[in-house]
Amino acid sequence: GSPTPEPCGVCEHCRAIAEDRHVDVIEMDAASRTGVDDIRDLIDGVRYRPLSARYKIYIVDEVHMLSKQAFGALLKTLEEPPEHVKFVFATTEIRKVPVTVLSRCQRFDLRRVDVATLGPHLARICEAEGARLAPDAVTLLARAADGSVRDGLSLLDQAIATYGGAGEIGAAALRDMLGLADRTQIFDLFEHVMAGRTASALEEFEAARQAGADPIVVLQDLLELVHWVTRVKIAPRSAEDPAIPEAERVRGRKAAQGLSMASLARAWQILLKALGETQSAPDPGQAADMALVRLAHAAELPTPAELVARLRDGQTPGGPAPLPSGGGPSISPAGARDGLQGASSGASSVPAIPGAPSAPAIPGAPSAPAVPGAPSVPAIPGAPSLPAIPGALAPSAVSGSRMAPQGSARGTQATALAERQAPESAARPPEPKSFEEIVNLFAERREAILHAHMLADVHLVRFEPGRLEIRLGERAPRDLANRVQKSLSDWTGRQWGVSLARDGGAPSLAEQAVTAERARRDDAATHPLVRAVFETFPEARIVAVRDLAEHNDGPDGPDGPDGPHANHRDDPARAGSEPSEDEAR
């Protein structure tokens, strides 16, 4: 008799709505009726009062599919709706609905239904329909629905239609229908790959495929398992969920205790990337095989923290064997000092390289003497002395003599670095003061490809010393800004910032040159002499326009040194002579 949030199910309106025959409840599918004309038809019916109910209800499903024009046409009605009309908008993409529409609506977010609630609901529907589902099958069906009641009902209808006449529907039948692997197989596969047992993992995966499991679904189940084990490791209470079988809880706790956070995070990243590759691969099974191989191989690798600990303890990264004497420096200064015991001092040195930058000494670092019998290395003034490594090649002498059979590798690198930096610092170009100078700098550095892109595909938005904002054309490579920034920073010795703008900017230099040349030709075409030429020779055309001053002052111009108007008083052979036939012409 009165409005209530719980439908009674017995009155005329409740029965008509349940049977989808109420004249005052109008449903519109915005996914198929997205245009403004469809919204106009809806608005035309708004002004009429309801026939039997208190309100006229318009339900617009998938409202985010409406076009921009349709939303604009509906906005006025939403601002001033009639008293007898209620709108109900349903969507799964709330971000695609314009803010102007959201601000005029009251929002209700429908949360996902957990397995503990959805499972009994599906069991009650099975009992009402006369179908029988095993308890583990109900749990599997609720988990596959992923919190959606509609998807759960659709899967339940499919299961009843497929296996309803065969008695009780078990979990194995649902796994075959959904293409899922047995949960025990997923745990076994996870344990194999995380233990590095590649062959066993591939055999387990092949058995799941032969049972009908989809490779993509198997990787999704592995991702879900890695996520759940990680949560159990961080918050052990996550394993106390009653919806999870006891066997899974026990194995989950064991996996969380035996695996580190670094291993779980690495497994998550590998599986997440492999899932995208498998979905786009020509053969998903082969892509999933390679993903499991990568995961099993990565499980045997130590973490970066373990590598640092091994090196600090004097062990090789691949095992506990200690480093041999003289085989390389240890991370800690104490290790370096121990590794250099027994070495004698008194290494000879040659004059330093002129102009080479000196490396500052590290405070507190031990000074390592040279190894006996190793040849001397050119010293860099101000740089700390480095130990020579037996068997390494020494750099050639400054005079260009042949290479010595032994020497210091670090000394070789320091000498080569000094020889490279000295000419580069001396030949460093001046700071560009305009965008044109930057483009010319690429031409001077013989960067032909970058110079061509800077001319034709770059639109200047803003220029400041050390700062450049540009907009790229359609043909410009995606990494052009990074390449320009790196080149300018390397050439000028100053850190440049190059940012990209989506719109705006001046025309490119090539477009400006074309525009200027077209303007010069149009201006030249208005000259009386040029118009007279066109009248006399209709097929004539303007090929190029040159400045008269530059043309006259050139070497072959009228006023040039070799031109007909040149002053030849200093040349007795040509003074007072008549102009030649070419000069007269």
Side-chain angles (χ1 to χ4, degrees):
S2 60
T4 174
E6 296 293 337
C8 64
V10 296
C11 68
E12 177 185 355
H13 300 293
C14 286
R15 292 198 306 269
I17 293 174
E19 297 172 2
D20 196 16
R21 56 179 178 83
H22 202 293
V23 294
D24 292 328
V25 179
I26 300 97
E27 183 177 359
M28 172 183 169
D29 182 18
S32 59
R33 303 178 63 184
T34 62
V36 65
D37 294 335
D38 301 320
I39 294 298
R40 287 172 180 168
D41 294 340
L42 184 147
I43 295 175
D44 289 341
V46 167
R47 53 187 176 180
Y48 299 108
R49 299 188 64 83
L51 295 179
S52 59
R54 292 187 178 91
Y55 298 99
K56 180 177 285 188
I57 308 298
Y58 286 91
I59 303 174
V60 182
D61 192 15
E62 301 293 343
V63 69
H64 65 275
M65 299 292 289
L66 290 178
S67 63
K68 183 178 180 180
Q69 293 78 9
F71 275 121
L74 186 61
L75 190 60
K76 184 64 176 178
T77 305
L78 295 179
E79 290 177 349
E80 300 176 358
E83 296 180 354
H84 58 275
V85 173
K86 300 292 182 182
F87 288 97
V88 178
F89 295 156
T91 179
T92 55
E93 299 287 343
I94 192 64
R95 295 184 178 180
K96 294 183 179 181
V97 180
V99 179
T100 54
V101 175
L102 290 177
S103 62
R104 291 163 174 82
C105 298
Q106 187 175 4
R107 176 172 169 176
F108 298 93
D109 291 322
L110 303 181
R111 309 296 182 184
R112 291 184 179 273
V113 182
D114 55 6
V115 177
T117 304
L118 185 57
H121 177 67
L122 296 177
R124 288 193 300 270
I125 295 177
C126 288
E127 183 179 357
E129 294 292 334
R132 291 185 300 166
L133 258 73
D136 55 348
V138 174
T139 303
L140 180 63
L141 200 63
R143 184 180 298 167
D146 194 20
S148 174
V149 180
R150 178 178 59 183
D151 294 344
L153 293 177
S154 300
L155 294 176
L156 180 60
D157 288 341
Q158 183 179 356
I160 295 175
T162 305
Y163 304 104
E168 187 180 56
I169 304 175
L174 286 183
R175 289 193 189 96
D176 294 339
M177 183 189 75
L178 300 174
L180 300 176
D182 187 1
R183 195 67 177 176
T184 305
Q185 286 183 317
I186 296 297
F187 268 93
D188 294 340
L189 181 60
F190 176 73
E191 292 177 355
H192 288 321
V193 294
M194 297 308 293
R197 299 189 292 266
T198 308
S200 300
L202 293 180
E203 292 176 358
E204 193 70 36
F205 176 65
E206 184 63 26
R209 289 187 61 189
Q210 294 297 330
D214 187 0
I216 297 177
V217 178
V218 172
L219 292 183
Q220 291 175 346
D221 290 342
L222 283 175
L223 269 172
E224 179 188 356
L225 182 57
V226 170
H227 172 262
W228 182 69
V229 172
T230 305
R231 293 194 61 181
V232 171
K233 187 174 185 63
I234 298 174
R237 291 184 179 180
S238 301
E240 299 176 1
D241 188 356
I244 299 176
E246 180 64 23
E248 295 185 15
R249 291 202 295 268
V250 173
R251 300 185 70 174
R253 292 193 191 99
K254 182 179 178 181
Q257 294 173 359
L259 296 173
S260 63
M261 283 298 302
S263 301
L264 291 172
R266 184 168 53 192
W268 173 267
Q269 293 294 334
I270 294 176
L271 287 173
L272 189 62
K273 187 175 185 299
L275 180 60
E277 295 175 353
T278 306
Q279 291 173 343
S280 60
D283 190 339
Q286 295 178 359
D289 278 343
M290 297 306 297
L292 295 177
V293 170
R294 289 200 304 269
L295 184 58
H297 176 70
E300 300 177 348
L301 298 178
T303 63
E306 294 173 350
L307 286 175
V308 172
R310 290 183 183 182
L311 291 173
R312 186 180 292 112
D313 296 339
Q315 301 176 0
T316 58
L323 287 172
S325 177
S330 178
I331 289 181
S332 62
R337 193 178 301 111
D338 296 339
L340 295 171
Q341 287 180 353
S344 63
S345 60
S348 60
S349 61
V350 298
I353 301 174
S358 61
I362 303 175
S367 176
V371 177
S376 59
V377 182
I380 300 176
S385 58
L386 301 175
I389 302 175
L393 294 179
S396 60
V398 178
S399 59
S401 62
R402 62 185 180 87
M403 298 288 289
Q406 292 179 343
S408 171
R410 293 185 178 180
T412 303
Q413 296 175 0
T415 305
L417 179 62
E419 292 175 350
R420 283 198 308 268
Q421 288 181 349
E424 288 181 1
S425 60
R428 182 167 293 165
E431 185 81 12
K433 295 182 174 53
S434 65
F435 179 67
E436 290 76 8
E437 292 186 7
I438 291 178
V439 177
N440 293 335
L441 183 58
F442 280 91
E444 294 173 1
R445 292 286 176 161
R446 301 181 181 275
E447 292 287 348
I449 298 179
L450 291 179
H451 178 255
H453 284 304
M454 294 290 287
L455 281 176
D457 302 325
V458 174
H459 304 266
L460 178 63
V461 178
R462 186 178 58 180
F463 171 83
E464 296 177 1
R467 175 75 177 174
L468 189 63
E469 185 176 0
I470 58 177
R471 177 176 62 86
L472 299 181
E474 297 180 356
R475 297 182 299 177
R478 295 182 178 179
D479 60 341
L480 181 60
N482 295 333
R483 295 166 65 183
V484 170
Q485 179 180 4
K486 184 179 183 302
S487 300
L488 290 176
S489 301
D490 293 342
W491 294 340
T492 62
R494 174 180 180 176
Q495 186 63 30
W496 278 75
V498 180
S499 59
L500 296 178
R502 295 185 177 181
D503 50 13
S508 64
L509 295 182
E511 294 172 350
Q512 296 180 21
V514 172
T515 303
E517 180 65 21
R518 186 181 295 112
R520 287 164 59 88
R521 293 190 184 188
D522 295 341
D523 183 62
T526 61
H527 195 276
L529 292 179
V530 179
R531 289 204 304 266
V533 171
F534 283 150
E535 292 175 358
T536 306
F537 303 100
E539 297 181 357
R541 59 188 180 90
I542 300 176
V543 178
V545 180
R546 301 186 181 90
D547 292 336
L548 186 60
E550 296 178 0
H551 176 67
N552 292 340
D553 295 338
D556 298 329
D559 297 332
D562 298 329
H565 298 165
N567 187 1
H568 301 297
R569 289 179 296 180
D570 297 336
D571 188 358
R574 299 189 63 180
S577 62
E578 294 295 333
S580 64
E581 182 178 356
D582 293 337
E583 293 171 348
R585 185 180 301 108

